[in-house]
Amino acid sequence: MTAPSIASFRVCSATGRTIHRQAEWLVKANAVVAVVALLVGAIAALLLVLTRWQAVHLLPAVWYYRLLGVHGMNMLIFFIIYFEMAVLWFASTVLLNARPAAPKFGWFNFGLMLLGTLIVEWAQWSGRADVLFTSYPPLKAHPLFYLGVIFFAVGALLVVAQFFATLVIAKREKTYPGSMPLVVYGAVTAAIIAVITLVHGALVYVPTFLWSVGLIPTVDPQVYRMLWWALGHSSQQINVAAMVAIWYMLGALTVGSVVLNEKVSRSAFVLYILFISMASAHHLLVDPGFGPAWKIVNTSYFMYMAVLASMVHGFTVPAGMELGMRLRGFTDGMFGWLRRAPWGDPGFSSLVLSVVVFGFVGGITGVTLGTEQINIIAHNTMRIPGHFHSTVVSGTALAFMGATYYLLPLIFQRKVAFWKLAKIQPYLFAGGLLLLVMGMTFAGSFGVPRRHWDISFSQAPFDVQFNPAVDFFLAVMGIGGVIAVTGALAFILIAVKSVFFGEPVYAFPRGAEIAGIPPGLTNPPVHSADVDERNEALHAPSRGFAGATPGTLVLVGVFLVAFMLYYFANWKLLSFLWKIG
């Protein structure tokens, strides 16, 4: 194979890294389509939340259920996975100074994904796939719907294969010193989980496609549900690994974050690979076809190992940020480092809000709802979408947004447009989502069902009465949803304006504050402490992590107390319903 020409690369003036131009364009293409999918999903979200808000009740039943499927596919599959493909191209080439494997084939795979996306969109918007996101048999969509999903999944799987091939090239050509960077290691974790996920997608959608065209007589609903959730839930575990990798990257870019212990962080990523996909079983806890032993083992002993991995990252990421700030001289008090952090940097605020909402809200509710006994009082209520809107949306989407604010000048070579709006966008998005999640969670605690078009059952021969508090919580959900969609649309406006009409930027003057360029690029965080002092802070036996990162230790203690109280409250509620004690 002939070596690539020098013209195939450019050198980033901010980081000094060599960037392959074809890989750069693949990052751009996947990121742009991701934002388009986010726009479609956000429009559907606004209409859905104004329908679930019972006082407004906007859409008729047919369009409510149709847009529910559109929203799920665009947000949970298209937006997330296109962005993850961009992350894989970025991590394997830019972060490793490497050339991509078969970039022309990468364009074929991108085209295959795009073709599948357009087919699915056509099927859903035209009413040929009103089967919701899960598409459970015996509900049957048009065959092209299943074929579109297969095209998309095959294209994504081939991109993952190219990612691994690019890693081999980088290793052989020795484009990076030492061991693989932790951010790339996290991307490898996401890619491995993606293979597991997409293979399950093939196992579920290929037979369903054959069923839809009449080549096989039936699809077993129970087998379908088990295999589908290995796709539907595990696809969100790709997000978790990619999100955590972005946490580490944004921490280094914004505040000079330090990795406390590479081996511990890498071991936590390995736990994701081994155990996180098993959490899919918590969607099947009320299915009578699965035995209690299978349910308990999958949602406790195995799932808790994945929870351990998240708790490790939940400590090491903020602790690394605290230590990085302290090594830069921000040592006043327990939380002086946090008070002096660059809160006006949208990359940093997105990072912190992603960690906090994902950990405190998503993590606590996820483990609780994944407990077999507690699940019985929450399954198919609004508590479930309340949970995953705090993980996939508040956590993953915020992390991706934060990364975008740095990718715009680094990869697209454009200043971030509407810089003042960009500074408040993460707070707007996260604040609205917190209201949305709280409204959903508390409404679900009063038994409000998920997915249901009309909780008043106005056309039914019976009357259903909910606690009057439900109206209040649905209003909170509705207001929060409108605010969150506003934040999402603001991000889309910023991204579109920046990419297509933004001011070019090819240099990053040191020490300057320039509107539209994140401060981590013009004023990169540099540790004021010397190497010996840094090592002493990290490894001194007399101090340990508690002495080096006291603020994070307090925050972790608050998290654990909140976790225990919420978990206990749910068991107490269960005992009331079962009349125990």
Side-chain angles (χ1 to χ4, degrees):
M1 181 179 293
T2 59
S5 66
I6 297 176
S8 300
F9 292 87
R10 73 172 178 87
V11 178
C12 176
S13 61
T15 63
R17 295 184 179 276
T18 55
I19 301 175
H20 194 278
R21 296 185 185 276
Q22 285 285 345
E24 184 177 44
W25 276 104
L26 284 164
V27 172
K28 292 178 180 180
N30 281 279
V32 167
V33 178
V35 172
V36 173
L38 176 64
L39 174 61
V40 176
I43 293 171
L46 180 62
L47 298 173
L48 291 171
V49 78
L50 292 177
T51 303
R52 289 310 308 262
W53 186 356
Q54 198 67 28
V56 179
H57 206 53
L58 180 66
L59 296 176
V62 170
W63 273 101
Y64 168 75
Y65 290 113
R66 183 169 299 162
L67 290 182
L68 200 56
V70 169
H71 176 67
M73 288 300 296
N74 278 279
M75 291 304 215
L76 295 177
I77 299 296
F78 298 146
F79 162 58
I80 293 293
I81 293 184
Y82 274 114
F83 201 96
E84 284 159 356
M85 297 299 103
V87 169
L88 294 185
W89 284 114
F90 178 80
S92 61
T93 59
V94 177
L95 296 184
L96 297 181
N97 299 302
R99 60 183 178 88
K104 291 182 179 179
F105 188 53
W107 286 109
F108 170 81
N109 298 332
F110 171 75
L112 193 60
M113 292 175 64
L114 186 60
L115 175 63
T117 302
L118 295 174
I119 292 174
V120 171
E121 295 285 359
W122 168 82
Q124 289 188 314
W125 284 98
S126 64
R128 292 172 171 83
D130 290 342
V131 291
L132 299 183
F133 176 55
T134 47
S135 56
Y136 289 148
L139 297 175
K140 184 186 291 186
H142 191 283
L144 285 179
F145 170 76
Y146 305 111
L147 190 62
V149 176
I150 292 170
F151 283 163
F152 177 84
V154 170
L157 192 59
L158 291 174
V159 172
V160 173
Q162 286 185 277
F163 168 76
F164 289 123
T166 302
L167 295 183
V168 173
I169 291 173
K171 186 70 174 178
R172 286 180 177 177
E173 298 181 355
K174 299 180 180 179
T175 61
Y176 60 95
S179 60
M180 181 182 294
L182 183 60
V183 175
V184 181
Y185 196 88
V188 171
T189 302
I192 293 173
I193 298 173
V195 172
I196 298 170
T197 300
L198 295 170
V199 167
H200 279 95
L203 290 174
V204 70
Y205 275 113
V206 170
T208 312
F209 169 71
L210 297 177
W211 167 63
S212 70
V213 296
L215 293 180
I216 60 176
T218 186
V219 173
D220 186 287
Q222 181 173 311
V223 174
Y224 176 95
R225 283 170 62 83
M226 181 178 68
L227 291 175
W228 191 91
W229 279 113
L231 163 72
H233 189 85
S234 297
S235 62
Q236 312 321 312
Q237 312 312 332
I238 310 171
N239 311 343
V240 172
M243 174 190 70
V244 173
I246 288 174
W247 283 355
Y248 284 109
M249 182 183 74
L250 285 176
L253 286 171
T254 57
V255 295
S257 180
V258 174
V259 179
L260 299 183
N261 189 302
E262 285 266 358
K263 291 182 179 179
V264 170
S265 295
R266 291 172 189 263
S267 298
F269 278 122
V270 172
L271 288 177
Y272 276 157
I273 296 171
L274 296 176
F275 297 106
I276 201 166
S277 294
M278 297 179 182
S280 306
H282 79 257
H283 292 278
L284 308 171
L285 288 176
V286 300
D287 283 29
F290 299 95
W294 181 87
K295 295 175 181 177
I296 291 172
V297 167
N298 275 278
T299 59
S300 58
Y301 302 108
F302 288 158
M303 189 181 77
Y304 291 161
M305 298 305 293
V307 173
L308 174 63
S310 289
M311 295 183 80
V312 168
H313 293 306
F315 171 76
T316 58
V317 170
M321 292 161 57
E322 178 179 0
L323 187 57
M325 288 291 289
R326 290 184 181 278
L327 291 173
R328 293 171 58 203
F330 302 104
T331 58
D332 51 320
M334 186 171 292
F335 295 109
W337 62 276
L338 195 57
R339 187 175 62 254
R340 301 284 298 278
W343 293 101
D345 180 349
F348 177 78
S349 57
S350 295
L351 164 63
V352 173
L353 292 170
S354 173
V355 172
V356 171
V357 181
F358 180 89
F360 270 84
V361 184
I364 291 173
T365 58
V367 176
T368 304
L369 298 177
T371 303
E372 185 190 17
Q373 297 87 340
I374 296 175
N375 183 269
I376 200 69
I377 62 175
H379 188 80
N380 272 344
T381 70
M382 290 284 279
R383 290 180 67 181
I384 304 300
H387 156 68
F388 61 69
H389 278 84
S390 62
T391 53
V392 179
V393 188
S394 301
T396 303
L398 267 171
F400 288 177
M401 290 173 178
T404 300
Y405 288 120
Y406 275 80
L407 291 177
L408 286 172
L410 288 175
I411 298 299
F412 289 88
Q413 295 181 287
R414 294 289 186 271
K415 288 185 179 181
V416 178
F418 305 115
W419 182 240
K420 291 183 179 179
L421 177 62
K423 287 185 174 184
I424 65 172
Q425 182 273 328
Y427 300 100
L428 189 66
F429 187 68
L433 281 170
L434 273 176
L435 289 175
L436 174 84
V437 167
M438 292 297 105
M440 284 182 166
T441 300
F442 284 105
S445 299
F446 285 100
V448 175
R450 64 178 295 198
R451 288 180 164 179
H452 207 287
W453 170 67
D454 182 13
I455 65 170
S456 68
F457 297 91
S458 57
Q459 299 176 355
F462 50 82
D463 185 36
V464 177
Q465 295 292 332
F466 286 101
N467 189 296
V470 164
D471 292 331
F472 170 75
F473 292 125
L474 290 178
V476 171
M477 176 202 71
I479 295 170
V482 171
I483 296 173
V485 170
T486 302
L489 294 178
F491 169 77
I492 294 167
L493 174 65
I494 293 166
V496 171
K497 176 67 163 60
S498 302
V499 170
F500 296 105
F501 310 103
E503 181 182 346
V505 55
Y506 303 111
F508 303 90
R510 300 298 182 182
E513 291 187 11
I514 303 173
I517 301 180
L521 299 178
T522 56
N523 294 278
V526 179
H527 298 154
S528 58
D530 59 25
V531 175
D532 291 335
E533 185 178 345
R534 170 182 168 175
N535 290 336
E536 192 276 334
L538 278 169
H539 304 298
S542 61
R543 297 174 64 198
F545 291 145
T549 59
T552 302
L553 200 65
V554 171
L555 295 175
V556 169
V558 173
F559 166 80
L560 291 175
V561 170
F563 196 166
M564 290 186 291
L565 290 175
Y566 187 78
Y567 202 65
F568 170 79
N570 277 271
W571 278 104
K572 193 67 177 176
L573 177 60
L574 186 64
S575 72
F576 289 153
L577 295 176
W578 283 354
K579 301 186 185 304
I580 297 174

